[in-house]
Every structure is written in C-alpha cells, then in structure tokens.
Amino acid sequence: LSYEVSAYYMVKKDDILTYTDASNDRVNMNAGETLHRGVEAQIGYIFNPQWNLESAMSYAMHTYEDWVTDENTDYSGNEMSIAPHFIANSSLTYKPLKNKLKGLWISAEWQYISEYYMNEDNSEKYGGYNFGNARLGYTFKSASIWFNVLNVTDELFAARASKSYYGNPTNPIIVRSYSPGIHRTLELGISYNFTGK
C-alpha cells in the first residue's frame, strides 16, 4: 500500500479574474482577493504482482473573497465558476506474469468531475460527469502495441460549461456555452525502441 495526502490553504490578493460585461466583452481585472482550500490524496495498492489499483482524488473550495466588478455587481462570498468540489480518477490494472502472457496489460479507468457553478453569480450549476476508459497493450522485447477505448459507454457530457449575459443589464440575453467532451474514441498505437533498452 502506498499513499500521499496533502492539504492546502491559499489566499491570493490582486488575483486577475475575467468576466463578461453587459456588452459581451471579456474583461480582465484585479479582483481583490480569492480563497483556495482543499485536500488531495493519491492511493496505490498492489494486491499481488499482477494486480494494481491506483486512485487520485481532490476535494476543494475556491471562493471570491473580495470582487466588486462595478457599483451594481459584487461577487464577494460566491464560489468561483467552473470549479468543481470533487475530482477523482481511479484505475485497476492487470499484468499477468505467465510466460505466454508476460508483457500484456489490461486496465480499466474511471474519471469523475462533480457539479460546479457555471457563472460568477452562482445562479446555475452544471451537473458534472463521469465515464470509463479501457486500455489493452502488449510489449515484446523492444516493441509495444496498445489499444484504448475512451468513454466506453459513449456518455454525452461537456468538458466545460459556462453561463454569461449580454445586452441590457435589466433584461439580459442569457448565453450558455458547452464545450463537448469526447465521444467514444478508439486509439491504436505501436512503438519500437531502437536502442534495445
């Protein structure tokens, strides 16, 4: 068993933050102050020489402590946008040691992002996502071949989701933007080490 745990608490002053104003222009400004705190952990467990489990997790809170963009807008105390609380990645790998199968590896991986606020005023959340990957490979002497299937179940998700406004501040037009995540993706790779090492 191997593990590593760390915690952090960070205050950033004169942090440069970006928002979309009523004219739909991106504005950079020194926000005043933001607060970042969280816990991160990495865990690995070798059941036996053939099976290995690895997991990395993060729980964090990121907030605007002092951010007044104009006389009518104060984001102080809100959570930062596009900042999920929980992020996790886990994988289980099998590497057989028998003569005919030695050099083979099979791995199943899970990725998770929790929900997060889509905008600075914390009026709407994106639900996050989770999906699985599968990996298969074989190494013989100096050559390797591998095959990966990413997003095995072809989950529909946004890698990034945001919400902004433009136009008349009293009756703004709402724009929701979603950057699509990968669909089911197949990867085939071959490598050869010419040094023989």
Side-chain angles (χ1 to χ4, degrees):
L1 174 68
S2 62
Y3 61 91
E4 180 178 335
V5 179
S6 59
Y8 61 89
Y9 183 94
M10 176 174 63
V11 177
K12 294 176 70 176
K13 296 186 177 181
D14 294 324
D15 199 359
I16 298 176
L17 297 172
T18 305
Y19 74 101
T20 304
D21 65 11
S23 302
N24 203 31
D25 293 325
R26 301 290 286 172
V27 178
N28 295 320
M29 64 182 302
N30 290 78
E33 186 176 305
T34 58
L35 175 61
H36 312 264
R37 55 217 186 271
V39 177
E40 298 177 348
Q42 292 182 322
I43 301 171
Y45 186 70
I46 299 175
F47 297 93
N48 60 50
Q50 299 182 115
W51 289 93
N52 181 32
L53 176 66
E54 294 181 323
S55 187
M57 294 157 283
S58 171
Y59 182 83
M61 285 282 291
H62 306 278
T63 54
Y64 304 115
E65 294 300 293
D66 179 15
W67 188 17
V68 180
T69 61
D70 57 52
E71 61 183 11
N72 298 315
T73 308
D74 185 355
Y75 296 130
S76 302
N78 288 4
E79 290 190 31
M80 297 182 74
S81 61
I82 317 176
H85 289 183
F86 191 65
I87 300 173
N89 179 286
S90 297
S91 64
L92 178 65
T93 303
Y94 174 62
K95 293 182 178 180
L97 299 177
K98 295 181 179 178
N99 290 336
K100 291 183 179 180
L101 296 178
K102 191 173 182 179
L104 176 74
W105 75 87
I106 302 170
S107 180
E109 180 185 35
W110 171 68
Q111 294 183 325
Y112 173 75
I113 299 287
S114 70
E115 66 180 10
Y116 55 79
Y117 285 109
M118 296 171 59
N119 55 349
E120 293 82 6
D121 63 17
N122 291 179
S123 62
E124 188 169 343
K125 284 185 174 182
Y126 176 66
Y129 60 84
N130 69 91
F131 62 88
N133 303 318
R135 307 178 192 276
L136 171 68
Y138 185 75
T139 299
F140 180 73
K141 294 184 178 178
S142 298
S144 293
I145 183 171
W146 65 90
F147 179 67
N148 300 331
V149 182
L150 308 180
N151 192 359
V152 174
T153 56
D154 201 22
E155 296 294 321
L156 182 63
F157 70 97
R160 177 187 172 97
S162 62
K163 178 183 178 183
S164 58
Y165 311 89
Y166 73 93
N168 186 341
T170 59
N171 189 24
I173 296 173
I174 299 172
V175 177
R176 294 176 178 84
S177 300
Y178 300 92
S179 300
I182 59 169
H183 283 282
R184 183 185 295 116
T185 302
L186 309 181
E187 297 179 336
L188 177 65
I190 301 173
S191 67
Y192 186 84
N193 184 352
F194 289 95
T195 66
K197 296 181 180 179

